[in-house]
Amino acid sequence: MALFYLLFESASGFALFIVHGIDEIGQNIEAVRNSITDLNRFGKVVKLVAFHPFASALDALNQCNAVSEGIMTDELRNFLELNLKIKEGKKPKFTLGLAEPKIGSHIYEETKIPCQCNEFVLELLRGVRLHFDRFIKDLKPTDLEKAQLGLGHSYSRAKVKFNVNRVDNMVIQAIFMLDTLDKDVNSFSMRVREWYSWHFPELVKIVNDNYLYAKVAKFVENKTELSDDKIPGLTDILGDEDKAKEIVEAAKASMGQDLSPIDLINVKQFAQRVVDLAEYRKNLHEYLVTKMNDIAPNLASLIGEMVGARLISHAGSLTNLAKCPSSTLQILGAEKALFRALKTRGNTPKYGLIFHSSFIGRASAKNKGRMARYLANKCSIASRIDCFSETSSTIFGEKLREQVEERLDFYDKGIAPRKNVDVMKAAMTQNEDGEKMDVEDGSAADVSTKKREKKISKGEAMDEEKPSTTTNGGAPEQPTPEKKKKKKEKRKLVEEQEQAPEMEENTSGKKKKKKNKNVDAEDTQTASEVKKKKKSKSKKDE
């Protein structure tokens, strides 16, 4: 009967068990499950061979990380070689059961110990985990729970390693706050206009901006006290002296009603709140721009900070956005229109949130859908680079933006854009400062640009060599149908000569026969004409 061992990795150390009576059980999973709950039955099958405790909590964390990554440490190797008595050059006559197949493969590569990981082994290890405190003497259940809790906290803390500067949750909260602030500032500004227009209605037509209107209302307060002395203050707020003088003149002939001092105080306080909200909105926008440059610099340089932040917030995180295919990213934000189109069997939407990008607006009406598909492809590339790259830079985003610009030129002017492979190679050969490498070092961008210049120069030379036959005020001569037929016949002859050069002899023989037939026919025609002429002459003589 072959021996069967179990390796159990606990929070307090490594444990090695031997399993008896496998042949009686027959590796029946149901029998193992029934025997797990009863320690007397399970203890007869599984017995402890050796236990190696960890030296410290840090040692336990290192061993746990190695097991999760499928690496056998020196400590685990010494433990197995010492207790299993492995002899060099001989094949082991036992099998080792494990819970992790990755570390099993590594153990087999290093020590040639046959490892096994299946449902039967997992059920046995479940029973070991249930009665582990009973197998080891002088180990209390509370001690094991404390070790498991401490190792769990340290392991999760080590796994959740993140850069504080690259937390995409801050971007999501900031963009949501910006949207709410926009709504609140607009509604509060309209309320200030309606409230203060009761006192000074002419100010609405002079000052159109909501932020400036609130500042002017707070500065003026009572229109009856407005005089020429306050023109410099109004000029500082508005930035225009003519408007300041117009406000003073309008206040002198205003048709508004007077307000009590308490009403003016409330209007002033409310206008101050609106001004503070507008200033906070500006500061929040600057904060969002800086966070986007830290979290997703390539996406921000490609499509802009606001649109990039909306894409991240709609997807849930930068990782979710990176996992989205370009077809999904293209219609992010247009889910209702998509499902309505699928339900009614109508036209599906071409774009979602990326419609706010300047590239879609610059494209023509017939090319908006194509441009949205191309831009979504580049956005998916940029988001994946930002998510999974260790160093943050804007090189790839700038290169992708150049590609989108070239695609716009291709749709409008027909200029062929560069290939994606060449652009990515050029981006990789650039430094973080944006300086290009030399051509000798292998910069693909310079090579591609030289190739394009050569093609353009060849095309211009061909255009110059062509004769400019123009008629009717410089318009080029259009080819006649006869010339077209001749060109087609020439092309057919060239193709026949290239495709079937071996058939020339056969075709030449056939052509000779046809020529002989034509000659015979001509000879017969001439003989008949001579006979006719002789007959006509004899008739005339008679």
Side-chain angles (χ1 to χ4, degrees):
M1 183 178 67
L3 295 175
F4 192 82
Y5 289 94
L6 290 175
L7 178 63
F8 180 69
E9 307 92 357
S10 66
S12 55
F14 292 119
L16 188 66
F17 294 86
I18 188 170
V19 183
H20 297 285
I22 295 179
D23 294 338
E24 287 90 3
I25 295 174
Q27 294 190 3
N28 190 356
I29 298 171
E30 293 182 0
V32 174
R33 287 174 182 171
N34 295 328
S35 64
I36 281 174
T37 55
D38 190 4
L39 181 60
N40 295 325
R41 294 178 60 189
F42 190 73
K44 294 177 182 178
V45 178
V46 179
K47 292 184 179 180
L48 180 68
V49 176
F51 177 71
H52 177 72
F54 294 133
S56 61
L58 182 60
D59 186 21
L61 177 61
N62 295 331
Q63 296 294 330
C64 184
N65 288 328
V67 169
S68 64
E69 293 174 2
I71 300 171
M72 182 181 64
T73 59
D74 295 335
E75 190 174 356
L76 178 58
R77 181 170 184 168
N78 295 332
F79 174 68
L80 293 175
E81 290 178 351
L82 179 64
N83 294 286
L84 295 177
K85 297 179 181 180
I86 303 170
K87 296 181 180 180
E88 295 182 358
K90 291 186 178 181
K91 187 178 180 181
K93 297 181 180 180
F94 55 85
T95 307
L96 184 64
L98 294 164
E100 293 291 336
K102 291 182 180 179
I103 194 172
S105 61
H106 193 220
I107 289 172
Y108 179 74
E109 290 175 0
E110 296 291 333
T111 61
K112 301 300 179 182
I113 297 174
C115 299
Q116 188 176 358
C117 179
N118 52 23
E119 193 174 357
F120 172 72
V121 174
L122 293 176
E123 288 295 331
L124 289 174
L125 289 172
R126 189 168 67 90
V128 170
R129 190 179 300 107
L130 181 63
H131 305 292
F132 185 70
D133 56 341
R134 306 279 183 89
F135 284 108
I136 298 174
K137 296 180 181 180
D138 299 331
L139 183 64
K140 298 179 182 179
T142 55
D143 296 338
L144 185 61
E145 290 177 0
K146 289 179 182 178
Q148 289 175 351
L149 186 63
L151 181 61
H153 280 295
S154 58
Y155 179 75
S156 60
R157 193 180 299 112
K159 279 294 179 183
V160 187
K161 288 180 180 178
F162 59 88
N163 188 359
V164 180
N165 297 321
R166 298 188 66 180
V167 182
D168 52 1
N169 188 31
M170 299 298 106
V171 171
I172 297 171
Q173 299 298 331
I175 194 66
F176 276 126
M177 192 65 188
L178 272 177
D179 293 337
T180 54
L181 278 176
D182 288 335
K183 295 178 182 178
D184 293 342
V185 168
N186 287 332
S187 60
F188 291 161
S189 299
M190 293 303 297
R191 184 60 56 195
V192 169
R193 284 173 177 270
E194 292 179 2
W195 199 349
Y196 194 69
S197 294
W198 187 262
H199 177 65
F200 193 1
E202 292 82 8
L203 186 62
V204 176
K205 295 180 180 179
I206 300 171
V207 182
N208 296 322
D209 188 63
N210 294 329
Y211 176 70
L212 293 178
Y213 185 91
K215 291 187 76 174
V216 169
K218 185 176 81 70
F219 180 78
V220 172
E221 292 185 17
N222 193 354
K223 64 178 181 180
T224 57
E225 298 177 359
L226 191 61
S227 60
D228 296 337
D229 298 336
K230 293 187 177 181
I231 290 176
L234 290 172
T235 305
D236 294 337
I237 295 171
L238 298 172
D240 191 358
E241 188 177 358
D242 296 334
K243 281 189 177 182
K245 291 179 179 179
E246 188 177 355
I247 289 171
V248 173
E249 292 176 358
K252 295 177 181 178
S254 177
M255 300 295 292
Q257 296 185 0
D258 294 334
L259 294 177
S260 62
I262 297 174
D263 296 336
L264 288 173
I265 290 170
N266 287 322
V267 173
K268 181 181 177 181
Q269 289 179 352
F270 187 59
Q272 182 63 41
R273 294 291 178 89
V274 174
V275 171
D276 294 340
L277 274 178
E279 291 176 354
Y280 174 66
R281 196 261 177 205
K282 292 180 181 178
N283 296 331
L284 188 63
H285 181 266
E286 294 175 358
Y287 164 75
L288 178 63
V289 170
T290 54
K291 292 299 290 184
M292 279 296 295
N293 290 327
D294 292 337
I295 295 167
N298 293 300
L299 186 63
S301 60
L302 171 62
I303 202 171
E305 290 84 4
M306 296 297 293
V307 183
R310 291 185 192 281
L311 288 173
I312 292 172
S313 65
H314 197 82
S317 65
L318 182 60
T319 307
N320 293 341
L321 184 66
K323 291 177 181 178
C324 288
S326 59
S327 58
T328 305
L329 192 145
Q330 181 181 350
I331 57 171
L332 273 181
E335 287 83 4
K336 289 184 179 179
L338 175 64
F339 294 133
R340 184 171 60 249
L342 294 175
K343 187 177 181 180
T344 58
R345 296 183 180 179
N347 295 327
T348 55
K350 297 178 181 178
Y351 26 68
L353 291 170
I354 60 173
F355 179 76
H356 299 287
S357 175
S358 60
F359 296 113
I360 308 297
R362 288 164 56 189
S364 59
K366 64 178 181 179
N367 293 325
K368 284 186 184 294
R370 300 166 67 186
M371 198 66 220
R373 184 168 61 250
Y374 189 81
L375 183 60
N377 183 12
K378 299 305 172 188
C379 287
S380 65
I381 294 172
S383 61
R384 288 166 189 173
I385 292 171
D386 291 329
C387 182
F388 301 112
S389 64
E390 296 179 357
T391 58
S392 61
S393 63
T394 59
I395 296 172
F396 292 96
E398 292 171 358
K399 292 295 180 182
L400 292 172
R401 189 178 181 86
E402 290 176 5
Q403 275 190 289
V404 179
E405 294 283 354
E406 290 175 2
R407 182 60 59 141
L408 275 174
D409 295 338
F410 173 70
Y411 289 149
D412 295 338
K413 304 174 184 177
I415 301 172
R418 290 178 292 172
K419 292 183 179 180
N420 194 22
V421 178
D422 297 336
V423 176
M424 290 295 105
K425 285 181 180 178
M428 292 177 69
T429 52
Q430 279 189 359
N431 295 325
E432 292 183 358
D433 298 332
E435 296 178 357
K436 291 185 178 180
M437 304 288 286
D438 295 333
V439 180
E440 296 177 356
D441 297 335
S443 78
D446 298 336
V447 176
S448 61
T449 50
K450 284 188 176 182
K451 287 182 179 179
R452 291 178 68 196
E453 289 175 359
K454 285 181 180 178
K455 288 180 180 179
I456 292 167
S457 61
K458 284 182 181 179
E460 291 176 353
M462 292 291 288
D463 293 336
E464 289 176 359
E465 288 175 2
K466 288 180 181 179
S468 59
T469 56
T470 56
T471 55
N472 299 328
E477 247 185 336
Q478 294 182 355
T480 59
E482 295 178 356
K483 291 182 179 179
K484 288 182 180 179
K485 288 182 181 179
K486 288 181 180 179
K487 286 182 180 179
K488 288 182 180 179
E489 290 175 358
K490 287 181 181 179
R491 287 176 186 172
K492 287 181 180 180
L493 289 172
V494 171
E495 289 176 358
E496 289 175 357
Q497 289 175 1
E498 289 177 353
Q499 291 176 359
E502 297 177 357
M503 300 296 291
E504 287 181 356
E505 295 178 358
N506 298 329
T507 53
S508 62
K510 290 178 182 178
K511 287 179 180 178
K512 286 178 181 178
K513 289 180 181 179
K514 287 181 180 179
K515 287 181 180 178
N516 293 330
K517 289 180 181 179
N518 293 331
V519 171
D520 295 337
E522 289 177 357
D523 293 338
T524 53
Q525 286 178 0
T526 52
S528 60
E529 288 177 355
V530 169
K531 287 180 181 180
K532 287 180 181 179
K533 287 179 179 179
K534 287 180 179 180
K535 285 180 182 181
S536 62
K537 285 180 180 180
S538 61
K539 286 180 182 180
K540 287 180 180 180
D541 293 335
E542 290 176 355

